[in-house]
Amino acid sequence: MGILKYLGAPRRQLFAAKKYIKGLGFSSLHTAPNSTVELHSQDEEVVIALGSNVGNRLHNFKEALKMMRKSGINITRHACLYETAPAYVTDQPRFINSAVRAVTKLGPHELLSALKRIEKDLGRTDGIRYGPRPIDLDILFYGKYKVRSDILTIPHERIWERPFVMAPLMDLLGSAIDSDTVATWNSFSGHSGGLSGLWEKLGGESLIGEEGMYRVMPVSNSLLDWSQRTSVMGILNLTPDSFSDGGNFQSVESAVSQVRLMISEGADIIDIGAQSTRPMASRISAEEELGRLIPVLEAVMSIPEVEGKLVSVDTFYSEVASEAVSRGAHIINDVSAGQLDTNMFKVMVDLDVPYVAMHMRGDPCTMQNSENLKYDDVCKEVSSELYSRVREAEMSGIPTWRIVVDPGIGFSKKTEDSLDVLTGLPDIREEIAKRSLAISHAPMLIGPSRKRFLGEICSQPGAVERDPATVASVTVGVLGGANIVRVHNVKDNVDAVKLCDAILRQKSSHMKFRE
């Protein structure tokens, strides 16, 4: 006979347990067909692990999340995405793994049935245990309960031995105990240090990149491990009024020529912008922006040099984002993090491409006014405000594994603020980690290139004359943890990035040697 045990109260006789449960607001208590005591309750928080290694793995994940929501499983947090070597049965394709936190009114066995239906709908059939599967959905935790029955065990019995389960679980929970439910989940580990202590015992963060497990971002039908090296994003402005190169690339021919040059110089990503976001720039309509963008985007996507490279579109309009992705763009780069178009997050959910969310207060016309330049602690406030935008994106349905964060150097920041952000990237990650470990692991993009604060510090009024200072700022940023640098001068910054990456690899190897 199976049992379901509530860990928030002492063990009692069944009639006393019923009274206790009703006191908590549960509507009924009944025996499931397999003799397990089943709860129909108010919302319970759950953790569900996802895995896939058959077919289009990313599509399987996307469809599973969509079906979960339709089944009454309200997803509130996403872990990072991991590509991992198969466990137990090793002669099979590599997996992608992640996990989500959610709330549901479904009882534990109802939840299991819903997940099994999703697995079946996505093509899973009975096969060898631990063998290949299009989707695998496991309940790791259900409220404060332990469940033991013929068909269900919660907590999942193999959590503690599986790094590919523990890594996404820690993304969701971190080391902070943010509720009684999370405290109970930590107690289930049986480790004095809770789940985080158990994760460290397994090897913790040192396992990422080792043991066949990599933290990845899906982009352009592949998985990008952004920790391997820093990516260089070359800027292509199609605007007549950009602060650095406005009017230089308004014809399709000149724009394509510039893209070819940047790629030949080592650019990994081309970021195309058709609307200026310099201070006090006038806003143009989505229609006008598309008129500038689409001819160039189509031409760029057709040249052979762009094969193997990524194309990003810099826009805060959801309509432009949607049209750009339909024409082949791989990334959307939004300086407003969804603030200037309330439809952006909703549209991005279905576009299924990485989304760069940047910190900015106000809009280009107001971002440098006195109110938007007030900070007591710029790194803490940027972290908090950027986290809030990303959380809203995540709650809208954009998985954390598709988000890139940008602290917005030069946007609604004075010169000293931009310097604090540039040198405080580790602090920004640390502050975000207090709220979400998953979001703190997201790739970080910085864009100091030719910005006014560099000119003020170096007494260089001309934007192009700020290239040496840009190289210096990129160097500081990469050594501080930036994963993508957005620059006008690709050639010199590629060299700076290569040197920084070599320094970081050397430092990492020395640390591993000492360990």
Side-chain angles (χ1 to χ4, degrees):
M1 178 176 179
I3 62 169
L4 184 149
K5 189 185 298 181
Y6 182 74
L7 273 293
R11 297 182 65 181
R12 302 184 176 118
Q13 298 296 325
L14 183 58
F15 74 91
K18 288 182 179 180
K19 182 177 180 182
Y20 181 81
I21 290 166
K22 287 180 180 178
L24 289 175
F26 296 116
S27 59
S28 66
L29 182 70
H30 68 86
T31 302
N34 60 358
S35 300
T36 297
V37 176
E38 181 82 352
L39 293 174
H40 283 193
S41 72
Q42 296 179 7
D43 284 338
E44 288 290 346
E45 189 165 20
V46 300
V47 177
I48 299 169
L50 300 89
S52 174
N53 76 332
V54 172
N56 186 326
R57 299 173 299 173
L58 295 170
H59 176 77
N60 294 341
F61 264 39
K62 180 181 178 181
E63 290 303 306
L65 295 178
K66 189 185 299 183
M67 292 178 186
M68 286 164 67
R69 292 186 181 95
K70 289 181 178 178
S71 300
I73 305 164
N74 180 26
I75 296 167
T76 58
R77 287 183 182 266
H78 305 74
C80 298
L81 188 69
Y82 296 84
E83 187 175 40
T84 63
Y88 310 117
V89 178
T90 58
D91 185 21
Q92 58 176 316
R94 293 176 64 82
F95 278 83
I96 57 171
N97 293 99
S98 191
V100 295
R101 282 174 76 169
V103 292
T104 184
K105 295 184 185 297
L106 299 175
H109 287 84
E110 292 175 311
L111 177 59
L112 177 66
S113 295
L115 297 180
K116 292 299 180 186
R117 282 195 302 271
I118 293 170
E119 290 180 340
K120 184 178 180 181
D121 289 345
L122 289 175
R124 183 168 178 179
T125 57
D126 292 336
I128 61 172
R129 194 178 188 195
Y130 308 127
R133 67 213 74 168
I135 195 70
D136 187 22
L137 303 173
D138 288 321
I139 307 170
L140 302 184
F141 294 118
Y142 181 94
K144 298 181 182 179
Y145 297 92
K146 282 187 175 180
V147 179
R148 298 287 184 272
S149 76
D150 296 339
I151 61 171
L152 181 61
T153 300
I154 304 176
H156 193 279
E157 57 190 342
R158 291 189 177 272
I159 292 176
W160 328 117
E161 66 186 50
R162 296 175 170 178
F164 62 86
V165 175
M166 284 296 296
L169 181 59
M170 292 313 301
D171 290 340
L172 296 174
L173 305 183
S175 58
I177 308 299
D178 60 13
S179 69
D180 290 343
T181 299
V182 173
T184 301
W185 295 345
N186 274 271
S187 74
F188 288 159
S189 71
H191 192 281
S192 59
L195 290 165
S196 59
L198 186 61
W199 172 232
E200 291 304 316
K201 183 180 177 181
L202 283 174
E205 189 65 18
S206 68
L207 296 177
I208 311 303
E210 307 290 341
E211 306 295 324
M213 182 164 65
Y214 303 93
R215 194 176 283 130
V216 294
M217 168 172 280
V219 56
S220 185
N221 296 317
S222 62
L223 297 174
L224 173 66
D225 178 1
W226 66 91
S227 68
Q228 294 299 303
R229 66 181 186 88
T230 306
S231 297
V232 175
M233 175 185 275
I235 300 168
L236 178 66
N237 284 319
L238 307 181
T239 57
D241 56 344
S242 289
F243 77 94
S244 171
D245 50 8
N248 290 354
F249 309 113
Q250 288 186 273
S251 73
V252 173
E253 293 75 15
S254 62
V256 170
S257 177
Q258 178 66 5
V259 168
R260 286 194 167 108
L261 174 63
M262 289 192 290
I263 290 175
S264 72
E265 292 177 338
D268 303 291
I269 308 168
I270 302 298
D271 189 49
I272 307 175
Q275 172 144 208
S276 177
T277 52
R278 63 174 176 78
M280 300 308 297
S282 299
R283 186 186 303 191
I284 64 173
S285 67
E287 290 73 21
E288 188 174 351
E289 186 176 330
L290 284 168
R292 293 176 182 173
L293 172 70
I294 295 305
V296 172
L297 177 61
E298 289 181 335
V300 167
M301 296 307 299
S302 69
I303 63 175
E305 291 90 342
V306 85
E307 182 71 26
K309 303 296 181 180
L310 299 175
V311 174
S312 167
V313 167
D314 182 356
T315 185
F316 50 73
Y317 283 130
S318 60
E319 181 183 344
V320 175
S322 182
E323 190 65 26
V325 172
S326 74
R327 306 297 179 102
H330 307 115
I331 300 169
I332 295 300
N333 181 10
D334 180 3
V335 297
S336 79
Q339 294 182 99
L340 299 182
D341 185 338
T342 56
N343 252 354
M344 181 61 90
F345 292 161
K346 180 181 178 181
V347 167
M348 285 303 306
V349 170
D350 292 324
L351 290 185
D352 214 24
V353 299
Y355 176 65
V356 182
M358 194 193 80
H359 176 268
M360 177 176 67
R361 291 174 171 177
D363 60 31
C365 282
T366 63
M367 65 182 181
Q368 297 301 112
N369 67 26
S370 58
E371 186 63 31
N372 285 329
L373 292 176
K374 286 182 182 176
Y375 295 96
D376 292 322
D377 185 321
V378 66
C379 286
K380 281 189 176 181
E381 289 170 68
V382 166
S383 302
S384 176
E385 293 166 20
L386 185 55
Y387 167 77
S388 295
R389 298 307 305 154
V390 173
R391 272 297 288 149
E392 186 174 332
E394 184 181 18
M395 290 296 288
S396 299
I398 304 173
T400 305
W401 60 74
R402 284 207 281 115
I403 290 175
V404 178
V405 296
D406 179 348
I409 293 171
F411 284 80
S412 54
K413 296 168 186 73
K414 301 186 291 292
T415 292
E416 56 268 32
D417 297 328
S418 289
L419 279 178
D420 283 343
V421 168
L422 182 62
T423 58
L425 300 183
D427 298 328
I428 290 173
R429 280 200 194 273
E430 187 177 339
E431 285 297 318
I432 292 175
K434 294 175 183 177
R435 299 167 171 86
S436 168
L437 204 55
I439 295 172
S440 77
H441 289 320
M444 183 179 286
L445 183 153
I446 60 167
S449 185
R450 298 180 178 175
K451 291 282 175 68
R452 179 181 298 176
F453 82 101
L454 298 177
E456 291 181 357
I457 293 168
C458 301
S459 300
Q460 294 289 359
V464 176
E465 280 69 42
R466 300 169 191 165
D467 278 350
T470 297
V471 170
S473 62
V474 162
T475 300
V476 172
V478 174
L479 293 178
N483 307 106
I484 306 168
V485 295
R486 183 178 182 272
V487 296
H488 298 85
N489 179 339
V490 169
K491 184 177 184 297
D492 291 345
N493 285 287
V494 163
D495 288 345
V497 163
K498 287 178 179 177
L499 177 60
C500 292
D501 285 348
I503 291 170
L504 292 171
R505 283 194 299 269
Q506 185 89 343
K507 183 178 179 181
S508 177
S509 65
H510 286 333
M511 290 178 65
K512 287 181 180 178
F513 178 76
R514 285 197 297 270
E515 291 171 358

